[in-house]
């Protein structure tokens, strides 16, 4: 690269990082905080929370990376235009490619990075997160022994423990089980303990209240009762691996016996095509940023700020592709739309750059009518009579 190209590349890369890091921190924090209750309720350590929060990062980066690039490029070129640097380059005879080339280099590098994260790093991190969550849910001992608070173990099953004593003894046990729609069960026990080997809650000196749909209630007292949690433990202890959690090679040739593939085969197809299109967004958004901000403009010229125009266009395109990708899980007719949207937007941006056209604020209908009449020679341009008179 030439000196001016290295200068633009360095400024754009610096502004991109200055935008990416705060955005990534904000999004990462909001995503990590959604799992705080899971970690605290299951008794996990702070290191488990940090590990879980770190594994979330790869799923955050590909989403915000293209938008950070749009902000970085438009802000850099707008600042150069404000400082008249673009005007000086234009007056010195420098071609527009001197501005376009370093931005394209940066965008291509980020697209390759996005492809690697999307197809190899993010699937691994997603699987690791799901397994951590499944393990935390399966840790019944930590979930049950929260004193003086109702804990939801699964849908329709709640447990409360009055106190925890030494030796793992639980006092004041209350269990509400409404998983069976035909009847509801309520257990009271003076004390008990969790048997980790058999995955059962052993209760002593208590009673069971069984409520029938007709309103009748039967009460049974017991000296010892084992509440079996084996089936539920196995269910919550297994991570549910979906199409988004698979790497590229698995999506190219999914296992036909995979339960998730049997339930929703179109989800795997849609995810595969999503992987083939989403990695191009940094390059596409860089082209959009160049269209709106790479030409020298006068400070007196009225126009929308390039960052607003570029971000608006990027958000619209991202929303359209997101809608197409989600709809492709139900219908294959949306798969061509996943390719058409970025290709059409990219072709328009390249056409604008190659033809050296500028995006201006749309004219009013009066201005358009006057321009049309001037072209048809029904009117003379303003000032034409004065020029002839002189």
């Amino acid at each position: 690269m030439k000196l001016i190209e290295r200068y633009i590349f360095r400024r754009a890369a610096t502004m991109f990082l200055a935008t990416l890091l705060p955005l990534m921190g904000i999004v990462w924090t909001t995503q990590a905080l959604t799992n705080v209750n899971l970690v605290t309720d299951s008794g996990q350590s702070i290191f488990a929370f940090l590990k879980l929060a770190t594994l979330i990062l790869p799923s955050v980066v590909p989403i915000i990376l293209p938008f950070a690039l749009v902000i970085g490029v438009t802000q850099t070129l707008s600042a150069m235009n404000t400082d008249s640097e673009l005007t000086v380059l234009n007056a010195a005879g420098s071609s527009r490619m001197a501005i376009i080339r370093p931005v394209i280099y940066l965008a291509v590098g980020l697209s390759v990075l996005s492809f690697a994260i999307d197809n190899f790093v993010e699937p691994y991190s997603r699987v690791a997160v799901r397994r951590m969550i499944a393990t935390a849910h399966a840790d019944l001992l930590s979930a049950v022994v929260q004193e003086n608070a109702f804990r939801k173990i699964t849908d329709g099953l709640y447990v409360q423990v009055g106190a925890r004593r030494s030796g793992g003894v639980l006092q004041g046990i209350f269990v509400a089980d409404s998983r069976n729609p035909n009847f509801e069960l309520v257990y009271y026990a003076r004390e008990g303990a969790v048997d980790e080997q058999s995955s059962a809650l052993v209760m002593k000196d208590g009673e069971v209240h069984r409520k029938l749909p007709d309103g009748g209630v039967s009460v049974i007292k017991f000296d010892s009762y084992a509440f079996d949690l084996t089936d539920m433990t196995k269910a919550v202890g297994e991570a549910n691996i979906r199409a988004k959690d698979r790497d590229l090679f698995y999506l190219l040739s999914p296992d036909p016996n995979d339960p998730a593939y049997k339930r929703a085969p179109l989800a795997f197809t849609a995810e595969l095509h999503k992987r083939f299109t989403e990695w191009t967004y940094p390059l596409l958004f860089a082209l959009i940023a160049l269209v709106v901000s790479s030409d020298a403009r006068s400070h007196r010229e009225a126009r929308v700020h390039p960052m607003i125009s570029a971000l608006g266009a990027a958000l619209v395109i991202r929303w359209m592709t997101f809608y197409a990708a989600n709809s492709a899980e139900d219908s294959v007719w949306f798969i061509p739309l996943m390719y058409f949207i970025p290709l059409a937007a990219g072709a328009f941006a390249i056409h604008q750059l190659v033809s050296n056209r500028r995006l201006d604020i749309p004219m009013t209908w009066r201005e358009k009518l006057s321009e049309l009449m001037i072209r048809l020679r029904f009117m003379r341009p303003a000032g034409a009579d004065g020029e002839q008179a002189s």
Side-chain angles (χ1 to χ4, degrees):
M1 288 189 293
K2 299 179 181 179
L3 179 62
I4 186 60
E5 294 176 0
R6 291 198 300 270
Y7 170 74
I8 296 175
F9 181 89
R10 184 174 64 254
R11 288 193 59 173
T14 303
M15 185 59 64
F16 161 74
L17 290 176
T19 306
L20 176 67
L21 295 179
L23 286 177
M24 187 168 61
I26 294 171
V27 176
W28 172 72
T29 301
T30 56
Q31 292 293 320
L33 289 178
T34 59
N35 296 303
V36 169
N37 291 336
L38 170 67
V39 176
T40 55
D41 290 349
S42 59
Q44 303 292 322
S45 65
I46 184 63
F47 298 104
F49 172 74
L50 293 176
K51 180 181 178 181
L52 181 63
T54 303
L55 290 173
I56 295 175
L57 277 176
S59 62
V60 172
V61 173
I63 298 175
I64 63 176
L65 189 147
F67 293 99
L69 180 61
V70 168
I71 296 175
V73 172
T74 53
Q75 184 62 26
T76 298
L77 296 182
S78 297
M80 292 181 65
N81 184 67
T82 302
D83 296 337
S84 300
E85 291 176 302
L86 296 183
T87 304
V88 171
L89 290 175
N90 191 26
S94 179
S95 67
R96 200 176 182 184
M97 286 301 301
I99 302 171
I100 297 174
R101 193 178 293 114
V103 175
I104 296 299
Y105 289 158
L106 178 61
V108 169
L110 294 178
S111 295
V112 174
L113 177 63
S114 180
F115 180 85
I117 294 176
D118 265 336
N119 292 282
F120 303 106
V121 180
E122 184 180 353
Y124 167 79
S125 66
R126 279 182 172 273
V127 172
V129 167
R130 292 192 182 279
R131 288 176 177 170
M132 285 189 65
I133 294 176
T135 302
H137 280 304
D139 191 1
L140 293 179
L141 178 61
S142 299
V144 168
V145 296
Q146 302 296 322
E147 299 180 7
N148 298 319
F150 281 97
R151 296 295 175 184
K152 180 180 179 181
I153 306 302
T154 187
D155 291 337
L157 181 60
Y158 296 84
V159 176
Q160 182 189 27
V161 174
R164 178 183 178 183
R165 304 304 180 192
S166 59
V169 177
L170 309 176
Q171 292 186 337
I173 301 175
F174 171 84
V175 179
D177 185 4
S178 59
R179 291 176 293 176
N180 193 329
N182 296 324
F183 55 84
E184 297 181 8
L185 296 173
V186 177
Y187 299 82
Y188 300 94
R190 185 176 59 85
E191 65 178 21
V194 176
D195 187 352
E196 296 181 1
Q197 294 182 352
S198 61
S199 296
L201 176 62
V202 180
M203 297 179 284
K204 297 180 179 180
D205 189 11
E207 57 186 32
V208 181
H209 292 208
R210 179 175 179 176
K211 182 179 179 181
L212 300 176
D214 59 2
V217 178
S218 62
V219 180
I220 302 174
K221 293 186 178 182
F222 59 83
D223 293 330
S224 179
Y225 185 89
F227 190 85
D228 190 10
L229 301 172
T230 304
D231 295 338
M232 188 209 44
T233 306
K234 291 181 179 178
V236 300
E238 296 177 355
N240 183 20
I241 307 302
R242 298 181 295 182
K244 293 182 179 180
D245 308 323
R246 298 297 186 179
D247 57 25
L248 179 61
F249 300 110
Y250 188 92
L251 293 176
L252 289 171
S253 181
D255 183 4
N257 297 321
D258 187 348
Y261 181 75
K262 290 181 178 180
R263 288 194 304 269
L266 281 180
F268 285 76
T269 305
E271 181 65 23
L272 176 63
H273 292 283
K274 184 179 177 182
R275 301 280 182 89
F276 285 154
T277 55
E278 282 197 341
W279 69 275
T280 61
Y281 291 155
L283 180 59
L284 174 61
F285 288 4
L287 291 173
I288 294 174
L290 287 170
V291 168
V292 300
S293 62
S294 63
D295 53 340
R297 300 286 187 114
S298 171
H299 301 307
R300 298 179 179 179
E301 185 176 349
R303 66 165 177 169
V304 180
H305 194 279
M307 185 182 299
I308 298 176
S309 303
L311 275 178
L315 286 171
V316 171
I317 293 173
R318 190 66 181 90
W319 175 83
M320 294 173 64
T321 53
F322 180 78
Y323 175 79
N326 283 348
S327 300
E329 296 182 3
D330 301 320
S331 174
V332 295
W333 296 105
F334 285 91
I335 292 178
L337 190 61
M338 297 171 61
Y339 293 92
F340 175 76
I341 294 172
L343 286 175
F348 173 76
I350 293 174
H351 176 264
Q352 292 291 115
L353 294 173
V354 170
S355 59
N356 202 24
R357 295 187 178 183
R358 299 168 51 170
L359 291 180
D360 297 317
I361 296 178
M363 295 184 297
T364 63
W365 68 271
R366 290 184 179 180
E367 292 174 333
K368 292 181 178 180
L369 181 60
S370 299
E371 183 182 16
L372 178 61
M373 294 183 69
I374 291 173
R375 289 181 179 180
L376 296 176
R377 298 187 179 182
F378 291 139
M379 290 179 57
R380 292 184 178 182
D385 296 336
E387 293 176 359
Q388 293 177 356
S390 61

